[in-house]
Amino acid sequence: MKISNVEAYWLRCPIPKEKQHASDYGLLTDFDMTLVVVTLENGLQGFGEAKAAVGSSGVCASIVSCVENELKPALIGKDASQINKLWEHVYNGTRDHYALKRGRKFPILGRRGLTISALSGIDTALWDLKGKMLEVPVVALLGGACRDQMPAYASGGWADVDRIGEQLQGYVAKGFTGVKMRVGVMDETVEKSVARVKAAREALGNDIKLMADAHGTYSVPEARQFCRGVEDCNLYWFEEPLSPDNKQGTAEVRAATSIPIAAGESEYTSFDVRDLIAVRAIDVVQPDAAIIGGISEAVRVSHLASVYQLELAPHCWGSAFSFMAGVNVAFASQAATIIEFSLGGNPMMYELVQEKIEAKEGMIAAPQRPGLGLTLNWDFVKEYAQKIS
Ligand SMILES: [Mg+2]
């Protein structure tokens, strides 16, 4: 079935004041996303997300332009079912015939960054389309689910030292058995982060999984100091201690602590994840399907996780489309045992689509509906689509 149109929309929706939070990314007052829509000649549409930022706020005009002006012309008239070939076509550009003939990549300059984000949205939309065409969920196309359900962990935890225990206990009261809190430069000092984590663990007791995320904001000494301070807090993982550009430093942090180190949400392609693994920087791999190169590349990362006996925990902070992309990849992988579930103000997760996304008693069920299993709310798109001049 041939592709007849490829569109992208930058959606920006205000977050109600009572649901706003401040993190290492500052106070987030809007939620942004790039929605990618691939349409077939018969009118069937697939949807994906392409990210300009790992947080929920970002300017998406460049991705929209990349999708519509650079990638769309190369995709019109192509067979949408040949996802592997189309991925190579975008990644290798005019040299894709060499890539396919010689069996190795001949990438264009945009082999990282927003071009790969744009490719991510298109790739995810193609998987959504293929599932809809065959009337099976994406996970079935990936070989089927390894388990019937999976625990979700509540992703939030911005409160100060006096209220963090109560905030995280609120998540546990909803049925979650794992919770993630934010640390890093938002706390000003490492001591304050350590005190917040200690307060959290004391309030939660020892049976709840607790993770801490520094959003890549520490220096190597700060990260080591943090790890020393919370070494007895039984953290399930410590996420993005350093900038993704400091892979060797992340390995130094990992070597200095018994706390498992997680990273990967800011990486583009499995080549970046390979480099993290090669320097022994991580225990938990967190590809984001809207950044890494779509469902196709997230699957390749899941295979790396499996081969190197690392845990796979896709980054699922985003719209319903990147969330379900991560969920489908996670269920298809033996290496994934837990799913991120956003507890922040997130209209793209709950209002962009007609289905109600929920973790019942803290559990996510294996996907059953065709494609990504989502129905786009076009009225929402019309209301929040930004004009790009
Ligand atoms: Mg994170």
Side-chain angles (χ1 to χ4, degrees), residues 180 182 213 215 239-240 265 286 315 340:
K180 186 163 85 185
R182 269 61 189 178
D213 186 350
H215 299 120
E239 181 169 327
E240 283 201 309
E265 70 181 63
Q286 301 176 296
H315 181 244
E340 179 172 27

Side-chain angles (χ1 to χ4, degrees), residues 308-326:
Y308 284 92
Q309 305 221 342
L310 306 173
E311 183 165 349
L312 177 77
H315 181 244
C316 287
W317 184 280
S319 76
F321 293 102
S322 61
F323 175 78
M324 284 308 297

